[in-house]
Amino acid sequence: LRAAGFDAPDRPPAQLSGITNVSVPEPEAVAARMLERDVVVTARGGGIRFAVHAFNDESDLARGVAALVECAR
């Protein structure tokens, strides 16, 4: 996310989780556009909430970031 220009949370390893919230303008509209690309996120807390699970792999993460780049800019 940081490499794509987003302000991603920076946490110590003990505080890491699969839930990440990225601040974007108009998060509800961004979430709707991402869903059109089959990337399921929620608009929450002034941003887009990614909830990554064990069944997600690196290609899912890359597709999610690519959709965010397309939809939030």
Side-chain angles (χ1 to χ4, degrees), residues 17-20 40-42 44 49-61:
S17 95
I19 297 172
T20 300
V40 180
V41 294
T42 54
R44 190 172 294 176
R49 179 183 180 261
F50 287 89
V52 180
H53 297 279
F55 54 81
N56 294 116
D57 62 23
E58 287 187 33
S59 69
D60 295 323
L61 301 177

Side-chain angles (χ1 to χ4, degrees), residues 19-38:
I19 297 172
T20 300
N21 199 53
V22 181
S23 295
V24 296
E26 301 180 25
E28 292 83 9
V30 172
R33 290 192 294 271
M34 291 179 72
L35 186 57
E36 291 171 357
R37 290 162 175 78
D38 294 323

Side-chain angles (χ1 to χ4, degrees), residues 1-13 15-17 19-24 50 61-62 64-66 68-69 73:
L1 290 166
R2 283 189 208 98
F6 293 96
D7 185 23
D10 188 17
R11 298 184 190 116
Q15 296 178 356
L16 293 177
S17 95
I19 297 172
T20 300
N21 199 53
V22 181
S23 295
V24 296
F50 287 89
L61 301 177
V65 172
L68 183 62
V69 168
R73 305 255 162 125

